Structure formats: structure tokens, C-alpha cells
């Protein structure tokens, strides 16, 4: 018999079998309630209670805390799976020293996630490679970790899926998919010139989320050029009006993150090759 099975047994008592039976019943109750983490924690908690390290109340709290932590971990895993983030980036991964054009105070304010509670929007604008997607994904991850439902997509992928749904007479269902998350990240807006149907569907998403859910958009196209890239000045104006009504623009100017990484790799290779050459002499 384990210590856990006799945790509350008085030495020499004839109630050993009764305590063992109670222990098995407790495990059975926890299993019936599908509290697997509490089952795993049970022996150690009962041993600590037997040794006087925990009161009965503290033992119960530890069991429930173990189960609560496991439940939250499962829920977070589910939220992150739905989020479909491009990489496991966090806001702490962003290197402000490598990108002096980013405003740490502004991104720090966005990291409070207050804009989500206000159904506000964020638009990251900057040249290709300056580091727009990383903070967008980092904010999305922070929101998921805070219990919010989020989803990440590119503009092209989203409009393509909406077009396919429309062809299969399930556009409303697909639009609801993009309307329901508390935060929707739309990456690479304006990267390609959209056709008329895609432009209309992008607007439908923005309109459906207006004052109801937040959007983070990234784009290498400035606000003044957005109408040209969308191909419809009136539709572009209507979309921007909704995005900017409760929105903030984060302009990032500076060197390309990707080019900097490429240069660092090239320097490392050159240094290794030079060292190898010296060794062979």
C-alpha cells in the first residue's frame, strides 16, 4: 500500500482497508470527473497531508490548483492552434536595438491589450523586412495567452478562402469564421493588387468586425497608396474609415530585419572559412 492510500490512517488502526478503499473511491470520482491532473497530484498531496505539511483545506486547494493549471494549459494550446500564428514569437523577441524605427513605448502600450477591449485596430506600416509581422504575431500571442480568441492570416489567403466559400454557397459561414475572434491579424494587406471580388470580401470582413472586434493589419503600403493597391478608391476609403475610427498606425522605418540576419550569417560563414584556411596552412 502506498503512503497516499494510508495518508489519514492512525498507526495500528483497523481502518487501513477502509482508508485504502476511500482512496480508490476518491481516484474513481476524480477519474469520472475527468480530472486527470488531480489524479496525478493526489499521492503527493496526501503524503504531504499525512506528514503534517498540509492541512486538509490546503491539500484540497493543491489538488484543484493542479487541475486548474492543466485545464488552462489545454485551453491555451487550443487557442494557439486556432490562432495559426506563423512562428512562436513573443513581444520579448523583438529586437528594438536592431530596429530603431520601432517605438517601444507605443508597442508596450499595445501590449496591455486595452485596444482589444475597445474593439480598436492597429495598422503596422513599413517597407518589406523591417519587422511588421513579428510584433503583430507577438500581440496576437499575448492576446491568446490572456484568454482571447485570435486568428492570424494573410490577406491573400483570407480572400482566397472567402472566394472558395462563395463558390460553394457557404460564404456566410466563412465570413463568420473571420468575424468571431476577438482579434484578427491580417498580414500583407496590399502586397498584391486584389481583384474586384477579393476587394469586396476584404471590405466585408472589415465591416463585419467594425466596433465589434479588433484587427491588426500589416502593410508595406502607406495610407495614401492604399486606394491604388485596392483598386477601388470608394471601397478603400470606406475600409480605411472603419479601420482608423478606433485605430492606431504604427509606422516602422529602418533597416530590413531579414537583410541584417543575412549579413550576420554571411559574416559568420566568411569568418569560419578564414579560420579554416589558416588551420590548413
Amino acid at each position: 500500500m502506498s503512503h497516499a492510500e494510508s495518508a489519514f490512517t492512525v498507526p495500528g488502526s483497523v481502518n487501513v482497508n477502509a482508508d485504502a478503499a476511500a482512496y480508490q473511491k476518491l481516484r474513481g470520482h476524480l477519474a469520472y470527473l475527468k480530472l486527470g491532473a488531480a489524479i496525478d497530484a493526489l499521492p503527493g498531496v496526501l503524503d504531504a497531508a499525512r506528514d503534517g505539511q498540509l492541512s486538509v483545506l490546503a491539500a484540497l486547494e493543491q489538488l484543484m490548483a493542479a487541475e486548474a493549471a492543466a485545464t488552462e494549459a489545454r485551453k491555451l494550446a487550443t487557442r494557439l492552434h486556432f490562432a495559426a500564428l506563423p512562428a512562436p514569437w513573443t513581444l520579448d523577441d523583438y529586437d528594438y536595438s536592431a530596429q530603431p524605427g520601432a517605438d517601444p513605448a507605443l508597442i508596450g502600450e499595445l501590449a496591455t491589450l486595452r485596444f482589444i477591449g475597445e474593439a480598436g485596430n492597429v495598422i503596422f506600416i513599413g517597407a518589406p523586412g523591417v519587422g511588421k509581422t513579428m510584433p503583430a504575431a507577438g500581440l496576437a500571442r499575448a492576446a491568446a495567452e490572456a484568454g482571447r480568441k485570435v486568428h492570424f492570416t494573410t490577406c491573400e489567403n483570407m480572400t482566397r478562402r472567402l472566394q472558395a466559400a462563395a463558390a460553394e454557397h457557404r460564404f456566410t459561414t466563412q465570413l463568420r469564421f473571420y468575424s468571431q475572434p476577438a482579434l484578427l491579424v491580417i498580414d500583407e494587406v496590399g502586397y498584391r493588387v486584389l481583384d474586384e471580388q477579393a476587394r469586396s470580401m476584404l471590405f466585408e470582413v472589415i465591416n463585419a468586425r467594425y466596433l465589434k472586434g479588433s484587427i491588426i493589419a500589416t502593410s508595406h503600403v502607406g495610407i495614401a497608396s492604399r486606394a491604388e493597391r485596392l483598386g477601388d478608391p470608394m471601397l478603400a476609403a470606406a475600409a480605411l474609415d472603419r479601420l482608423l475610427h478606433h485605430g492606431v498606425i504604427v509606422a516602422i522605418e529602418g533597416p530590413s530585419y531579414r537583410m541584417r540576419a543575412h549579413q550576420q550569417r554571411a559574416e559568420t560563414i566568411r569568418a569560419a572559412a578564414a579560420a579554416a584556411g589558416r588551420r590548413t596552412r
Side-chain angles (χ1 to χ4, degrees), residues 24-75:
Q24 294 300 332
K25 284 183 179 179
L26 177 56
R27 282 182 56 89
H29 294 328
L30 295 173
Y32 178 76
L33 295 172
K34 299 181 180 179
L35 304 179
I39 292 174
D40 293 339
L42 182 60
V45 169
L46 291 182
D47 282 346
R50 181 209 60 186
D51 295 339
Q53 299 173 23
L54 292 175
S55 66
V56 173
L57 186 61
L60 290 174
E61 190 281 329
Q62 280 205 8
L63 279 181
M64 293 301 98
E67 190 59 44
T71 299
E72 175 51 31
R74 288 194 298 271
K75 288 183 176 180

Side-chain angles (χ1 to χ4, degrees), residues 172-182 184 204-205 207-209 212-213:
T172 301
T173 300
Q174 192 65 44
L175 179 62
R176 190 180 304 118
F177 174 86
Y178 292 116
S179 302
Q180 288 182 341
L184 177 67
E204 289 290 343
V205 172
N207 189 53
R209 297 186 60 82
K212 298 175 183 176

Side-chain angles (χ1 to χ4, degrees), residues 184-203:
L184 177 67
V185 181
I186 309 176
D187 199 24
E188 299 177 347
V189 177
Y191 184 73
R192 292 180 183 274
V193 177
L194 301 177
D195 62 32
E196 182 178 356
Q197 185 184 39
R199 293 195 298 267
S200 176
M201 289 177 173
L202 174 60
F203 175 77

Side-chain angles (χ1 to χ4, degrees), residues 11 21 46 68 106 170 198 213 238 244 277:
L46 291 182
L106 177 55
R170 52 181 184 83
L244 297 177

